[in-house]
Amino acid sequence: MDVEILNRKDFVSKSQVKWCRGCGDFNVLKTMQSVLAKTGRTRENSVFISGIGCSSRFPYYLETYGFHTIHGRAPAVATGVKAVNPELDVWVITGDGDALSIGGNHFIHAIRRNQDIKILLFNNAVYGLTKGQFSPTSAQGWVSKSSPSGSPDRALSPLALAASADATFIARTSDNDPNHLAMVLEAAADHKGTAVVEILQNCVIFNDKVHEPYNGPKNRDENLLYLNSSMPLLFGKDKTKALINNGFGFKVAKVDDPCVLVHDPETQESTYAFALANLNYPQFPVPVGIFRQIQRPTFDQVLTEQQNRAIKKRGTRDLTTLLQQGSYQRLV
């Protein structure tokens, strides 16, 4: 049977895109469509599930299956979709407010279960859809119309939270760097397990250039730390600065320091990824790339093994017969 080869346009839906002009979501959408085509995904086997927020309109703009669910619950719906049909490629689209505030609990439990889903967390450090309140990732003291005295809360790091929940795949990239974004999305697509990708995304209306000091085109070379497997942790425009161990964290050293660390995303202990996720600008560079990439059984695999053990022990039963008996206990 001939296999249809798809291109980016095959994943473009007919729905009118309703984001603000200049929104970073446009780049993510276009890159995602290209990645689906490049990695050989099909429209029939791809499902995009979102919560609430600007980014969560994503499923409308892809010619795949999709589900625009309720606030913060997209990981729970995605977990169910994957559990009943493990053959599907299941993606979760969420924002910093959707995933880390009302959806914080679902975010954590999806990660610890290691269901085979890909969570793309668009982080613009603001509630854009509801016009500019501070979100869980807004900087402490950040002033908005709804917080004229500044946000009183400390900012939450999405990837530090993911590392704490022992995520098997953790990565960060930017909406304004399509090549790097595509590389990270392709790696996430190929990962078997929960992949958490933080996308530094710009909201042109309510938090414009929030990430510009480190991911702006003129600032990347100096202030981003590009993580590459088996490569030393070097940064700075001429790669003259490095990271070395400092207790349970890092400190900046010169490039010729004999203790310069080499990046290993397959490090089993999540403390390494946790320490990377807690590097904050301007004291440190901002890491981008794949922080962690390890393997362990996925949630749907564990469920299948559990069901097979039960069938082997008790045999198969008919649901109608079970219900007519009135009590499950009469059949066991």
Side-chain angles (χ1 to χ4, degrees), residues 159-204:
L159 298 191
L161 183 59
S164 299
D166 206 15
T168 54
F169 184 101
I170 300 171
R172 177 187 287 142
T173 184
S174 297
D175 63 355
N176 63 358
D177 191 347
N179 291 333
H180 191 268
L181 175 62
M183 181 277 290
V184 170
L185 293 183
E186 287 173 24
D190 290 338
H191 180 69
K192 190 69 175 175
T194 300
V196 179
V197 178
E198 178 188 11
I199 301 174
L200 303 176
Q201 185 261 353
N202 193 46
C203 174
V204 291

Side-chain angles (χ1 to χ4, degrees), residues 44-329:
E44 296 78 15
N45 267 32
S46 298
V47 184
F48 283 78
I49 297 169
S50 65
I52 297 296
C54 294
S55 63
S56 292
R57 297 190 60 80
F58 214 84
Y60 293 114
Y61 309 141
L62 287 161
E63 190 65 16
T64 64
Y65 286 99
F67 193 175
H68 192 179
T69 69
I70 56 178
H71 212 347
R73 273 66 172 180
V77 175
T79 298
V81 170
K82 186 68 180 182
V84 298
N85 194 339
E87 300 303 316
L88 296 176
D89 296 315
V90 182
W91 299 77
V92 171
I93 306 298
T94 184
D96 44 293
D98 185 59
L100 303 176
S101 186
I102 192 170
N105 196 37
H106 294 279
F107 181 69
I108 293 170
H109 290 290
I111 292 171
R112 77 180 177 89
R113 286 175 178 139
N114 196 37
Q115 180 59 295
D116 187 20
I117 59 177
K118 323 306 170 193
I119 301 175
L120 306 188
L121 196 160
F122 295 45
N123 183 8
N124 55 19
V126 69
Y127 282 95
L129 187 66
T130 46
K131 304 187 185 304
Q133 299 96 332
F134 63 84
S135 83
T137 59
S138 299
Q140 190 176 40
W142 182 70
V143 175
S144 69
K145 289 183 179 179
S146 63
S147 56
S149 298
S151 167
D153 300 332
R154 284 177 57 83
L156 187 64
S157 165
L159 298 191
L161 183 59
S164 299
D166 206 15
T168 54
F169 184 101
I170 300 171
R172 177 187 287 142
T173 184
S174 297
D175 63 355
N176 63 358
D177 191 347
N179 291 333
H180 191 268
L181 175 62
M183 181 277 290
V184 170
L185 293 183
E186 287 173 24
D190 290 338
H191 180 69
K192 190 69 175 175
T194 300
V196 179
V197 178
E198 178 188 11
I199 301 174
L200 303 176
Q201 185 261 353
N202 193 46
C203 174
V204 291
I205 303 299
F206 297 106
N207 205 7
D208 192 22
K209 298 181 179 178
V210 59
H211 305 299
E212 182 77 11
Y214 39 88
N215 82 342
K218 295 181 180 178
N219 302 320
R220 290 175 192 161
D221 288 345
E222 183 64 28
N223 298 320
L224 289 184
L225 168 62
Y226 288 91
L227 301 173
N228 295 298
S229 182
S230 303
M231 298 296 290
L233 297 179
L234 305 182
F235 66 99
K237 189 172 183 179
D238 299 315
K239 297 290 183 289
T240 56
K241 292 178 277 189
L243 292 182
I244 62 174
N245 269 333
N246 183 31
F248 294 105
F250 304 102
K251 70 176 182 180
V252 177
K254 293 182 179 179
V255 67
D256 57 356
D257 191 299
C259 298
V260 172
L261 293 168
V262 174
H263 182 55
D264 181 7
E266 297 182 7
T267 301
Q268 291 298 312
E269 295 78 13
S270 62
T271 49
Y272 172 64
F274 180 81
L276 283 175
N278 277 304
L279 291 176
N280 293 312
Y281 175 84
Q283 183 181 3
F284 291 101
V286 175
V288 292
I290 300 171
F291 291 45
R292 190 178 197 221
Q293 190 173 20
I294 66 168
Q295 292 295 325
R296 71 165 185 266
T298 61
F299 186 61
D300 52 285
Q301 288 175 334
V302 173
L303 280 183
T304 300
E305 291 171 3
Q306 193 177 67
Q307 290 165 355
N308 289 339
R309 287 198 302 272
I311 291 172
K312 185 177 181 180
K313 182 178 180 180
R314 299 174 178 172
T316 56
R317 302 294 171 88
D318 177 69
L319 179 61
T320 302
T321 303
L322 176 67
L323 295 173
Q324 290 173 344
Q325 291 292 319
S327 170
Y328 174 72
Q329 294 300 324

